[in-house]
Amino acid sequence: MTGYILISNDDGVDAPGLLALKHGLEKIGEVRVIAPDRNWSAAGHAKTLHRPLRVRPTSLADGSDAYKCDGAPSDCVAVALLGFFSERPALVVSGINPNANVGSDITYSGTVAAAMEAAIDGVPAIAVSLDVDEQARHFATAGEYAARLAQRVLENGLPPDTLLNVNVPDAALSEIRGVAITRCGKRIYYDQLITRQDPFGHPYYWIGGERPGGDKELHGTDIWALANHYVSITPVHVDMTNHALIAELESWASQLQAR
Ligand code: MN
């Protein structure tokens, strides 16, 4: 392999999933780490414009060297690709997130955003998440599949503006039924607006609720794959255009222009 693998995450540099990802990927090449100094889960694709970014050396739980940055996951990847490391990586892998990132989760996910930052900048990228129910037990399973897939991506490359979004069942390797290539499924959120009063009598709001669910019957989706104990690999494109709607909207264009 020429070049190194850059890893990051959205849970912070001390998260166990990051270390498991590093241990998985070290089997196939050199791994460098730059990750947020705190948890940015569900922070989406951010770019810090109005304050400086600080990067400091740190060490992971196994004693190995890493860098922590006070920006978002996507900032971490941008800093690395724009010159913090003198050479650019051959591949960027983000994770392992201790929750699935399926369906419309990918618009909220900092894990996916870190991979998307790399894809936009022309570096092949993979986002890896573990579908944890209560407590993460099988990060090593996700680390193993991350390594197998990373090897293939390093050999074959990826099309432009594309990342692979990987979701792994929280199970031992022997319990995985196989790998399913999937499309995004339909996530169902149970968010509620919780309204309380602060000590000064002003209302404040908290968006919360049960863990999101999803349509498990929709065959071929990421949600279906996890429900059936398959590792899900979804090719995700940066271009979010709804191509099917372009022709219909064309007929609106002249009316919108009329005066
Ligand atoms: Mn997270």
Side-chain angles (χ1 to χ4, degrees), residues 28-97:
I28 63 164
E30 183 199 348
V31 178
R32 297 186 195 177
V33 181
I34 179 165
D37 63 3
R38 61 183 176 88
N39 194 323
W40 283 77
S41 292
H45 199 164
K47 179 168 284 186
T48 296
L49 296 179
H50 302 294
R51 64 176 176 87
L53 293 169
R54 307 279 181 183
V55 180
R56 295 185 175 87
T58 184
S59 55
L60 303 183
D62 66 352
S64 62
D65 293 333
Y67 291 95
K68 60 180 177 182
C69 171
D70 64 357
S74 36
D75 289 321
C76 292
V77 172
V79 163
L81 299 187
L82 291 172
F84 180 77
F85 296 116
S86 48
E87 321 88 44
R88 281 162 68 86
L91 173 68
V92 172
V93 186
S94 174
I96 302 166
N97 195 63

Side-chain angles (χ1 to χ4, degrees), residues 143-226:
E144 172 63 27
Y145 278 98
R148 293 180 192 176
L149 182 60
Q151 184 74 54
R152 291 305 299 254
V153 170
L154 287 168
E155 287 165 11
N156 300 331
L158 284 177
D161 300 326
T162 301
L163 65 98
L164 299 180
N165 184 38
V166 181
N167 284 279
V168 179
D170 192 3
L173 267 180
S174 58
E175 293 165 14
I176 301 289
R177 278 174 71 186
V179 174
I181 308 304
T182 57
R183 66 185 190 280
C184 289
K186 178 63 185 166
R187 205 44 150 160
I188 300 166
Y189 299 102
Y190 303 106
D191 288 343
Q192 291 182 315
L193 188 64
I194 296 157
T195 308
R196 300 231 170 97
Q197 222 173 52
D198 73 15
F200 311 101
H202 303 297
Y204 67 87
Y205 306 94
W206 207 299
I207 299 171
E210 297 286 305
R211 293 166 58 87
D215 186 344
K216 296 177 178 175
E217 307 302 317
L218 214 52
H219 197 274
T221 66
D222 45 12
I223 294 168
W224 168 88
L226 288 176

